[in-house]
Amino acid sequence: MPDEVIAVRGARVHNLKNVTVEIPINKLTVVTGVSGSGKSSLAFDTIYAEGQRRYVESLSAYARQFLERMDKPEVDEVVGICPAISIRQKNSTRNPRSTVATQTEIYDYLRLLFARIGQTCCSNCGRVVTRDTPESVADSILQLPDGTRFYVMFPASPAAEETSASSNGSAKQKKRSREQQAAQHTKINAHLMSLMQRGFTRLFKNGSVIELETPDSFTGNSFADTFVLVDRLAVRDDVRSRLVDSLEICYQSGEGQAVIQLAGENRRMSFSEGFECKQCGIRFGAPEPRLFSFNNPFGACPTCQGFGNTIGLDLDLVIPNRELSLAAGAIDPWTKPQYDWAQKDLLKFCKQEGIATNVPFRQLSRDQQRTIVKGRNGFDGIIGFFDWLETKKYKLHVRVFLSKYRGYTVCPDCGGSRLRLEARLVKVAGKTLPEVCAMTSAEAAEFFSDIKLSEEQLAVAERLLYEIRSRLKFLNDVGLQYLSLDRLASTLSGGEAQRIQLATNLGASLVGALYVLDEPSIGLHPRDNDRLIRILKDLRDIGNTVLVVEHEPEMMLAADKVIDIGPGAGELGGEVVFSGSPKEMVESGQSLTGKYLRGELEIKPPKNRRLLGPRALTVKGAGEHNLKGIDVTIPLGIMVCITGVSGSGKSTLVHDVIYAGLKKQRGEWTGKVGSFGKLEGSQFIDDVVLVDQSPIGRTPRSNPVTYIKVYDAIRDLFASTREAQARGFDASHFSFNVPGGRCERCEGNGVEIKEMQFLADVELICEECKGMRFKSSLLEVKYKGRSIHDVLDMTVREAMLFFSNINRIAARLRVLDDVGLGYLRLGQSATTLSGGEAQRVKLAAYLSRRTSERTLYIFDEPTTGLHFDDINRLLAAFRQLIEAGGSIAIIEHNLDVIKSADWIIDLGPEGGDEGGRVVAEGPPSVIAESPASHTGRYLAGALKNYSQRE
Ligand code: ADP
Ligand code: ADP
Ligand code: ZN
Ligand code: ZN
């Protein structure tokens, strides 16, 4: 029997040229090829899209009605497709409350776990609150020595009816109290009658039993300290079931109360069916799953509504620079002349308490810092100062002053845990739910692996523990062991978000599905690649088909099948150049990828490295997130790589500290800046730019040529034709951003967006202009026989030829080709560019600027989406920037880029708390010899191969 396959015949999506391929079922297949060759068009836009359609087809009739309106991929036939799930890079979290734990469903299981086996601890005394069942009471009573005699009872009168008949005072009051006494007597009699009718004939009071012949046998005037006797027993092996029955009677007739009195002794034990502290009598709500949900008003902290923070005094704004000493004005509000007295008070207080006022604030002990914030011994502290200001808020200038120090701060009630008090009183194995969520996934895995529970708890929780443990294991397997469970999903990088989805899908253990993944190795250090490959194989081995778009050589070699798309990009690609096992690919060396894998082609590190110059940027005391107050020097004028395992602190250092810090110094930043002491050397740079992967525009009206500003020259050219002048068209008519020449129905977009209820929005070609974006009169204007629409439809390469005699256009277009984007169409809308393409369009824009002198360019994984062959070009573009006087700092995991760097700063050694230090710095050869550096180990391999082949 032939192996089962998904057979694609005649795929023509985007640039695909009638592609026919087979994806083996239950195998791991890698699709590779140069950037723009058509990998995503095949994997996502054809195979996944078709799987998605079939899946919708199998759903309800309601969902099906939208089916015919979903775009059908341009393909003759896809046979054997299964329901498809795509895992892409985009961090698409919309819910601001979503966390790592909620996204992976770990939180759902934790809620159930806490609801089922959690122990509530009394808010007053901390004792465990229990509910006594007749069985549990019987168990504890039968622990008493054999033969111990005892009474089973319940309080004669419910506490609420208790009226204390204290009487004294005036005659009037006496008369009233006589009336009250009579009423009380009637009430007592009625209650006794009802007890007797139910068969209770004995009371117990003050150590003796009262036999009730008639109600009058009881002479007391209240039921205080009086009990109804249900049974008399002695501890023996065979009394258990009778005892349980009697206790049940107590609960039924005594409003959930039962009392055991030892005969002839003064010892008495109270039990209650209710969920309350036996010591303090405080009643609690029994834990239930919704109590632990911060998305549910029942469980959310009422103060912050489950967001974990509120607007309030932001200490980071009050003490913006912890490098300053108290004397030098660390407390910002007290540096203002009108609050000079507060600064004087502070200095006096510090002298008194022996707190140093001439060392950086951050060097003070925790206790000293807290004292300054909270106050002590007559000194009000920062909080006291602001409380006092609050009372002066009727003055406008005070309100303005206060607003400068307000920001999002941790909710004072729930401490950021987002849950109401009742939920935070519940513990499992000594930890509350917020405490568990504050753990990293590695810590949580350890906690749950050797958790100590009673037999009973284990029986209830076994299944839940299994689910929690396996999900934690998946998180660790995908290399996210350093993320805390309560980390907000919105703060994760694209790669981290993708790997969370991967872990979640592994947890769901769906079988018979097709998983399509987009470069899952992004953001992963080579060290963690093995684990990632292992996971994809696991996904396959439980019975799924896995299709991965990937450039990483190890992943290709580990696959069951490799499909190489190419040979070039865009029009020059779109064909299957190789399809077979990785072994065959290496052996045949037929395709470009195969040649790189064989080592026939390679990325050579430069012969000479650039040397350190005198210019450098130094940050001191960087302490944001996991950074350990480190000093880091970035040499300028050369190519610097910042490396380290995922979570080691690269983004924190480069984005939050260096980029934001430099921008802030230049007055171009109002957002948050990561904490650091000093940033030196900024006099050496005139500009700092972050070349990231965010889109170059959000409307179809932005495109590569508008972004690199070459479109203006093209418009001018069209406006200068005789035809245009005869009709009175100027350059603005050739813009699709302003009315005039553009199609007004679609406002120059060429498409109309239709919002679908629950499916992704769909784009429909504009009916008026048929996607040509301009009015027909304008399209009649031709340059060298082509309309403006024809030009926008050319690829960059075609356009370079077409405009070859007009240097100001051709030269700029060449820059796009230089960064490997020669295949893009001039008018391809910004919304269809991948993150990597957008990043390279930006790079091109900077390359085409006249001056890159004294500019620091920051890149974050610029190799995303790049094939070996593209990386060579990228490195050439970097060289160009440096030769023009620029400086480059790159966050990167790709060894081909790292080995080509002039200088490396390796962070780590691990991710999360175990990272945040500089492990090694220097040129690649130095890092390669550093035993402590994970990067060094892999780099040594990459450099060794190179010198062997020299
Ligand atoms: P890869 O995944 O190999 O980088 P793609 O499949 O994304 O390549 O792109 C193949 C070609 O199709 C490229 O020329 C690209 O510009 C083009 N393309 C991709 N998406 C769209 C789209 N939505 N509309 C038009 N062209 C597209
Ligand atoms: P890298 O870029 O090396 O992968 P990051 O700088 O992203 O590492 O992360 C370093 C540490 O800081 C990690 O422990 C990470 O979980 C933590 N971290 C990063 N961003 C945030 C954030 N917004 N909130 C809380 N912790 C964060
Ligand atoms: Zn208590
Ligand atoms: Zn239109």
Side-chain angles (χ1 to χ4, degrees):
M1 197 181 99
D3 285 342
E4 277 187 89
V5 294
I6 298 171
V8 179
R9 284 205 310 107
R12 288 178 302 275
V13 173
H14 303 146
N15 69 335
L16 297 180
K17 303 208 174 95
N18 242 331
V19 163
T20 294
V21 280
E22 293 186 342
I23 314 292
I25 295 276
N26 292 350
K27 298 272 192 257
L28 170 59
T29 302
V30 168
V31 182
T32 188
V34 299
S35 173
S37 60
K39 301 178 295 296
S40 322
S41 300
L42 176 65
F44 286 95
D45 304 328
T46 308
I47 300 175
Y48 168 69
E50 192 58 23
Q52 176 82 345
R53 269 171 47 83
R54 298 289 176 83
Y55 187 52
V56 172
E57 222 166 21
S58 71
L59 294 174
S60 64
Y62 175 74
R64 266 200 310 275
Q65 65 177 323
F66 294 95
L67 189 67
E68 57 191 59
R69 294 167 68 182
M70 279 172 76
D71 222 7
K72 181 168 167 17
E74 214 181 306
V75 57
D76 292 339
E77 189 175 48
V78 180
V79 186
I81 191 100
C82 27
I85 294 161
S86 87
I87 304 186
R88 305 199 79 157
Q89 296 277 342
K90 280 202 192 95
N91 186 342
S92 55
T93 322
R94 298 255 176 74
N95 181 351
R97 285 184 286 216
S98 173
T99 65
V100 168
T102 60
Q103 287 209 322
T104 51
E105 294 168 359
I106 289 175
Y107 200 83
D108 296 323
Y109 290 103
L110 285 175
R111 282 193 322 162
L112 291 175
L113 184 77
F114 274 77
R116 302 235 177 106
I117 66 165
Q119 295 185 310
T120 302
C121 296
C122 173
S123 53
N124 188 40
C125 69
R127 279 191 181 76
V128 172
V129 178
T130 52
R131 188 199 297 280
D132 302 318
T133 63
E135 287 79 10
S136 71
V137 177
D139 285 344
S140 68
I141 297 302
L142 294 177
Q143 305 276 321
L144 294 168
D146 254 7
T148 308
R149 294 189 308 117
F150 60 90
Y151 301 154
V152 184
M153 326 185 289
F154 62 86
S157 162
E161 279 176 41
E162 206 86 18
T163 45
S164 65
S166 66
S167 50
N168 54 8
S170 69
K172 216 178 184 177
Q173 274 175 333
K174 267 193 187 133
K175 182 166 173 252
R176 166 107 58 77
S177 80
R178 254 199 313 280
E179 281 166 10
Q180 272 177 356
Q181 268 175 19
Q184 177 77 359
H185 187 70
T186 321
K187 235 165 144 188
I188 287 176
N189 271 352
H191 191 53
L192 289 171
M193 275 307 285
S194 118
L195 283 172
M196 288 167 63
Q197 272 158 15
R198 281 183 280 158
F200 299 113
T201 54
R202 294 190 188 96
L203 295 182
F204 182 90
K205 183 170 181 150
N206 294 336
S208 51
V209 176
I210 304 164
E211 300 280 345
L212 289 178
E213 310 282 336
T214 69
D216 286 334
S217 317
F218 179 71
T219 52
N221 59 3
S222 99
F223 280 133
D225 217 28
T226 309
F227 301 89
V228 178
L229 184 58
V230 176
D231 206 355
R232 286 187 274 207
L233 289 166
V235 176
R236 269 206 336 252
D237 285 348
D238 56 355
V239 299
R240 190 172 191 278
S241 69
R242 180 165 157 194
L243 173 54
V244 168
D245 287 349
S246 299
L247 285 162
E248 254 158 23
I249 293 171
C250 289
Y251 277 173
Q252 273 163 23
S253 301
E255 304 208 330
Q257 305 284 320
V259 172
I260 299 286
Q261 168 77 44
L262 298 196
E265 271 185 62
N266 214 356
R267 226 169 116 205
R268 186 185 290 166
M269 288 164 277
S270 300
F271 301 93
S272 101
E273 186 183 38
F275 198 62
E276 63 183 38
C277 175
K278 298 294 166 317
Q279 182 79 12
C280 315
I282 305 175
R283 270 187 173 254
F284 295 89
E288 52 179 310
R290 64 179 177 150
L291 178 63
F292 301 101
S293 167
F294 46 75
N295 283 320
N296 187 319
F298 190 76
C301 166
T303 309
C304 63
Q305 268 130 39
F307 283 94
N309 49 33
T310 53
I311 296 204
L313 186 63
D314 185 345
L315 282 178
D316 285 341
L317 296 173
V318 176
I319 313 171
N321 184 353
R322 292 182 180 241
E323 285 301 305
L324 288 181
S325 67
L326 290 171
I331 317 297
D332 191 67
W334 297 344
T335 61
K336 312 294 174 222
Q338 70 267 39
Y339 301 118
D340 193 32
W341 53 266
Q343 174 75 0
K344 287 201 180 107
D345 280 357
L346 169 73
L347 297 180
K348 207 170 90 200
F349 172 73
C350 288
K351 200 164 166 200
Q352 212 171 287
E353 299 272 319
I355 298 174
T357 54
N358 55 357
V359 305
F361 183 82
R362 73 176 169 86
Q363 283 180 15
L364 297 180
S365 74
R366 266 193 187 201
D367 191 46
Q368 289 175 329
Q369 295 189 5
R370 201 174 316 128
T371 304
I372 287 162
V373 172
K374 300 209 164 148
R376 184 162 71 200
N377 294 345
F379 170 69
D380 290 338
I382 293 170
I383 305 249
F385 172 79
F386 277 94
D387 284 348
W388 169 80
L389 272 185
E390 286 287 327
T391 66
K392 300 258 174 288
K393 248 169 50 178
Y394 55 90
K395 292 180 186 157
L396 178 66
H397 75 268
V398 172
R399 281 207 297 279
V400 172
F401 183 80
L402 278 171
S403 72
K404 282 173 45 182
Y405 300 103
R406 290 168 77 85
Y408 279 102
T409 60
V410 173
C411 170
D413 280 348
C414 66
S417 72
R418 304 138 164 258
L419 292 176
R420 68 164 66 238
L421 177 67
E422 289 80 343
R424 285 179 281 129
L425 293 172
V426 182
K427 294 185 178 174
V428 166
K431 298 256 183 251
T432 66
L433 181 55
E435 281 166 354
V436 170
C437 289
M439 296 180 187
T440 64
S441 62
E443 288 161 354
E446 207 183 309
F447 174 74
F448 282 108
S449 87
D450 39 57
I451 191 168
K452 302 263 181 302
L453 294 176
S454 71
E455 206 122 308
E456 233 172 292
Q457 287 179 315
L458 272 180
V460 180
E462 207 179 301
R463 181 75 206 161
L464 296 174
L465 284 174
Y466 169 81
E467 299 287 351
I468 292 168
R469 285 180 188 138
S470 60
R471 279 169 173 75
L472 288 170
K473 178 175 172 297
F474 295 138
L475 272 178
N476 291 346
D477 287 347
V478 294
L480 296 177
Q481 67 286 343
Y482 59 89
L483 288 183
S484 64
L485 296 180
D486 58 9
R487 172 74 171 275
L488 285 180
S490 56
T491 67
L492 298 173
S493 70
E496 284 170 336
Q498 189 192 30
R499 278 178 283 138
I500 294 237
Q501 288 182 50
L502 191 55
T504 308
N505 276 292
L506 282 165
S509 35
L510 207 62
V511 298
L514 166 69
Y515 283 91
V516 190
L517 291 95
D518 186 10
E519 284 204 89
S521 71
I522 290 305
L524 266 195
H525 191 270
R527 180 192 72 165
D528 299 318
N529 267 334
D530 295 351
R531 273 199 284 179
L532 179 65
I533 292 171
R534 182 69 259 149
I535 282 175
L536 295 179
K537 287 184 171 171
D538 286 349
L539 202 55
R540 170 195 68 188
D541 294 343
I542 59 176
N544 295 293
T545 305
V546 184
L547 183 62
V548 186
V549 174
E550 186 55 271
H551 299 287
E552 213 278 317
E554 271 185 69
M555 181 85 77
M556 289 183 216
L557 295 174
D560 299 309
K561 178 168 184 176
V562 183
I563 298 173
D564 195 3
I565 308 286
E571 296 305 296
L572 304 176
E575 291 170 49
V576 175
V577 289
F578 173 84
S579 157
S581 73
K583 191 156 163 272
E584 288 161 358
M585 180 171 201
V586 176
E587 277 167 6
S588 75
Q590 177 189 338
S591 68
L592 196 59
T593 314
K595 290 198 170 86
Y596 274 97
L597 286 180
R598 271 163 82 93
E600 231 166 81
L601 289 173
E602 62 179 331
I603 296 171
K604 289 202 176 82
K607 288 248 152 46
N608 304 309
R609 298 200 188 278
R610 294 179 196 88
L611 299 176
L612 290 196
R615 298 179 298 137
L617 195 65
T618 298
V619 56
K620 294 216 161 132
E624 187 67 15
H625 297 150
N626 68 337
L627 299 179
K628 305 283 185 295
I630 51 175
D631 298 349
V632 180
T633 296
I634 314 258
L636 295 175
I638 62 176
M639 175 170 149
V640 178
C641 264
I642 291 90
T643 59
V645 298
S646 196
S648 57
K650 302 180 297 296
S651 323
T652 304
L653 176 69
V654 174
H655 290 264
D656 302 351
V657 175
I658 297 180
Y659 180 68
L662 284 171
K663 279 287 191 192
K664 180 113 187 176
Q665 278 189 353
R666 304 166 54 83
E668 297 163 2
W669 192 261
T670 51
K672 186 173 156 37
V673 176
S675 130
F676 65 88
K678 250 189 262 168
L679 192 54
E680 292 166 352
S682 53
Q683 71 273 23
F684 299 125
I685 53 178
D686 290 343
D687 199 4
V688 53
V689 292
L690 176 65
V691 192
D692 63 9
Q693 305 210 353
S694 59
I696 58 169
R698 304 207 173 264
T699 76
R701 288 195 299 261
S702 330
N703 59 42
V705 287
T706 57
Y707 192 83
I708 66 165
K709 303 264 186 307
V710 63
Y711 192 58
D712 296 341
I714 297 177
R715 283 197 286 155
D716 288 343
L717 190 65
F718 271 90
S720 69
T721 58
R722 230 195 284 135
E723 264 171 296
Q725 282 172 350
R727 297 173 192 223
F729 293 141
D730 61 27
S732 74
H733 286 90
F734 292 89
S735 163
F736 28 66
N737 282 322
V738 293
R742 72 177 186 190
C743 165
E744 272 316 310
R745 179 177 173 131
C746 61
E747 298 182 325
N749 287 317
V751 290
E752 290 176 285
I753 313 278
K754 278 268 174 304
E755 276 182 31
M756 289 278 126
Q757 285 276 303
F758 55 90
L759 298 170
D761 296 350
V762 294
E763 284 187 355
L764 305 172
I765 301 280
C766 171
E767 283 172 21
E768 176 98 20
C769 65
K770 305 279 177 290
M772 308 232 249
R773 314 167 98 188
F774 290 98
K775 290 186 176 136
S776 51
S777 58
L778 203 96
L779 293 173
E780 280 160 21
V781 177
K782 304 269 165 74
Y783 171 78
K784 289 204 332 200
R786 302 298 185 91
S787 72
I788 186 78
H789 172 256
D790 295 335
V791 167
L792 286 170
D793 210 26
M794 291 177 185
T795 65
V796 170
R797 289 250 177 90
E798 287 164 0
M800 278 162 63
L801 274 176
F802 184 73
F803 291 114
S804 57
N805 58 332
I806 302 173
N807 192 44
R808 74 200 140 101
I809 297 179
R812 290 219 157 185
L813 289 173
R814 188 168 307 119
V815 187
L816 281 172
D817 192 33
D818 284 348
V819 295
L821 294 176
Y823 63 90
L824 284 186
R825 296 194 181 276
L826 302 198
Q828 186 167 334
S829 77
T831 53
T832 65
L833 298 180
S834 70
E837 283 172 337
Q839 187 181 40
R840 277 172 287 138
V841 171
K842 292 179 197 175
L843 175 57
Y846 291 114
L847 281 171
S848 66
R849 285 205 313 201
R850 270 281 106 86
T851 64
S852 57
E853 217 182 331
R854 294 170 58 88
T855 298
L856 171 63
Y857 296 92
I858 294 176
F859 293 87
D860 192 345
E861 290 212 76
T863 59
T864 305
L866 292 192
H867 184 263
F868 305 102
D869 212 46
D870 305 313
I871 291 175
N872 260 331
R873 270 179 211 264
L874 182 74
L875 289 171
F878 288 160
R879 275 195 291 279
Q880 245 179 295
L881 284 177
I882 293 174
E883 276 153 22
S887 304
I888 294 189
I890 313 169
I891 297 178
E892 191 52 89
H893 293 289
N894 182 293
L895 288 170
D896 284 323
V897 171
I898 297 175
K899 76 183 185 198
S900 305
D902 300 308
W903 189 262
I904 295 169
I905 298 166
D906 190 42
L907 298 183
E910 301 297 329
D913 237 21
E914 307 291 308
R917 298 178 200 282
V918 176
V919 177
E921 53 189 327
S925 56
V926 169
I927 305 296
E929 278 161 22
S930 160
S933 160
H934 290 302
T935 309
R937 223 167 42 245
Y938 288 88
L939 192 55
L943 288 173
K944 189 169 83 206
N945 288 346
Y946 168 71
S947 52
Q948 274 175 344
R949 269 193 249 118
E950 273 296 81

